[in-house]
Amino acid sequence: MHSMKKVYSLLAALMLIGLLAACGNNESMEEGKQGNTEPKTEQVAKDSFPVTLKDAADKEITIEKKPEKIISLIPSNTEILYALGAGDEVVGVSENDNYPEDVKDKEQVAGLELNIEKIISLKPDLVLAHGSAGDMWESGLKQLEDSGITVLVVHNAESFDEVYDTIDFIAKATGHTEEASDTINDMKAKLDEIEKKAADIKEEDQKSVFVEISPAPEIYAAGKNTFMDEMLKTINAKNSVQEEGWPMINEEAIIKMNPEVIIVNYNYVDNAVDQVLDREGWQDVAAIKGKQVYTVDENLVSRSGPRIVEGVEELAKAVYPDVFKE
């Protein structure tokens, strides 16, 4: 069970950081031409249907009417739906969904594979997939489409701006554009507060940070031009890893980096911080000597949804506790 949990957690992390992304791309999400249905009220005008959207699979998908039954195949989609006030419309989620509490009462329809029969039996108006899954669900999604179910592949957001675009994209697909504006504005305001505090950190006081996303013996880390790298820049911290993406790095190279802070970004290992502190040969690394090794909630910093700003705040408190203390 422990090893299976590790597989699920690591796969979820890899999915969300894009290592499995095959069909996801960073094109801007655009709304196509709308139908000729004349809006009868101001609210209908904002969320008029049918609406056509180009998804992460580069398909133009037309949603004929406001969805009443939605299935979300990945936690970030689910959290966005709830933030938009569409929680009651959600009828199915993934095995990895755990927020908000209400998702525990929803049918679980996705893990490493899709439960096609269960999804079809729920008769959804809309299934929200995700670009980070790449080819993993391709055949299953094709089966759903062939059965007449509308499937929308949501882009794999890898920056704050792309998260905002994703929220707007899902809002247009579900008829919740007004709520999207409130959600995005709230996120931007919180992020602005964090950036203002970080601006007081002088360059000579900026800490070097190593973000570990999987443990020894195969240590993967967050490198340049990743979402985590953008988070570190937001809090005025320096990424110890200069390689692009999410490289596997040997221990000797990490020791040479000599990071001042180590962030453990996985939750499937018991006593993970102690294991890092006790690594043989690491005793002279600044983060180890100063006991500056911390865990952050993987769900907050890895899910590209509304709570990502809370993840940045948690990261900031770990790296700069004096600056970001309550």
Side-chain angles (χ1 to χ4, degrees):
M1 181 64 73
H2 177 79
S3 61
M4 182 58 69
K5 183 179 180 184
K6 176 177 178 180
V7 170
Y8 268 85
S9 298
L10 182 57
L11 179 61
L14 293 179
M15 282 173 60
L16 288 169
I17 62 179
L19 291 179
L20 298 179
C23 65
N25 56 51
N26 291 327
E27 292 180 6
S28 62
M29 289 164 276
E30 58 183 0
E31 182 179 358
K33 295 180 180 179
Q34 296 189 1
N36 296 322
T37 305
E38 292 186 3
K40 296 181 180 179
T41 66
E42 182 181 356
Q43 182 58 39
V44 174
K46 291 176 182 175
D47 296 323
S48 56
F49 289 88
V51 62
T52 300
L53 300 167
K54 181 178 284 189
D55 74 356
D58 209 29
K59 294 180 180 178
E60 286 199 348
I61 307 296
T62 298
I63 302 169
E64 297 295 341
K65 61 181 182 178
K66 188 178 186 305
E68 296 178 0
K69 297 171 73 176
I70 303 170
I71 285 178
S72 168
L73 300 181
I74 201 166
S76 57
N77 286 350
T78 307
E79 294 194 19
I80 290 172
L81 287 166
Y82 273 87
L84 294 174
D88 289 342
E89 293 147 37
V90 175
V91 296
V93 297
S94 79
E95 294 173 3
N96 295 312
D97 274 276
N98 57 10
Y99 184 89
E101 189 73 18
D102 186 57
V103 300
K104 294 177 181 178
D105 298 325
K106 305 293 184 179
E107 291 280 355
Q108 293 186 350
V109 300
L112 295 178
E113 297 180 354
L114 303 180
N115 188 331
I116 301 299
E117 288 185 10
K118 184 177 280 190
I119 292 174
I120 292 174
S121 73
L122 291 171
K123 299 180 180 178
D125 303 309
L126 177 66
V127 171
L128 291 178
H130 200 263
S132 64
D135 296 331
M136 190 172 69
W137 293 334
E138 186 175 13
S139 62
L141 296 179
K142 179 73 164 54
Q143 287 182 59
L144 296 177
E145 291 170 343
D146 289 345
S147 72
I149 294 173
T150 301
V151 176
L152 198 64
V153 183
V154 177
H155 294 249
N156 182 34
E158 296 178 343
S159 69
F160 294 114
D161 285 341
E162 288 179 11
V163 173
Y164 303 145
D165 286 344
T166 297
I167 292 170
D168 185 59
F169 180 74
I170 291 177
K172 288 174 179 174
T174 59
H176 288 276
T177 54
E178 189 171 339
E179 294 91 335
S181 297
D182 293 339
T183 300
I184 292 168
N185 289 337
D186 186 46
M187 289 176 67
K188 287 181 176 179
K190 289 177 181 176
L191 195 63
D192 187 54
E193 285 180 23
I194 293 170
E195 289 177 330
K196 283 179 179 176
K197 286 185 179 180
D200 293 332
I201 300 168
K202 297 177 182 177
E203 187 172 354
E204 60 266 27
D205 295 327
Q206 291 180 13
K207 292 184 181 180
S208 59
V209 182
F210 180 82
V211 181
E212 183 172 298
I213 64 167
S214 71
E218 295 184 351
I219 299 175
Y220 282 86
K224 294 295 182 184
N225 294 321
T226 61
F227 204 162
M228 180 60 75
D229 189 54
E230 183 177 0
M231 293 182 202
L232 291 174
K233 289 176 181 174
T234 298
I235 66 171
N236 257 345
K238 294 176 286 188
N239 192 344
S240 294
V241 180
Q242 297 302 305
E243 295 178 61
E244 297 276 328
W246 307 86
M248 185 171 75
I249 304 180
N250 65 52
E251 295 193 35
E252 192 175 306
I254 300 168
I255 293 169
K256 191 174 181 180
M257 289 176 192
N258 194 30
E260 296 169 276
V261 179
I262 294 174
I263 298 295
V264 178
N265 188 27
Y266 45 85
N267 57 20
Y268 55 85
V269 175
D270 295 331
N271 304 314
V273 168
D274 291 338
Q275 289 193 32
V276 173
L277 288 169
D278 293 338
R279 281 179 184 158
E280 189 175 345
W282 286 47
Q283 63 273 7
D284 292 329
V285 174
I288 305 299
K289 288 168 70 173
K291 297 191 184 303
Q292 304 295 297
V293 181
Y294 306 101
T295 57
V296 293
D297 188 336
E298 181 185 3
N299 295 332
L300 292 180
V301 297
S302 297
R303 292 180 182 175
S304 48
R307 293 196 301 157
I308 197 80
V309 179
E310 293 177 38
V312 178
E313 188 172 30
E314 186 170 309
L315 186 68
K317 288 177 180 178
V319 177
Y320 298 114
D322 292 339
V323 177
F324 289 94
K325 61 188 175 183
E326 296 291 352

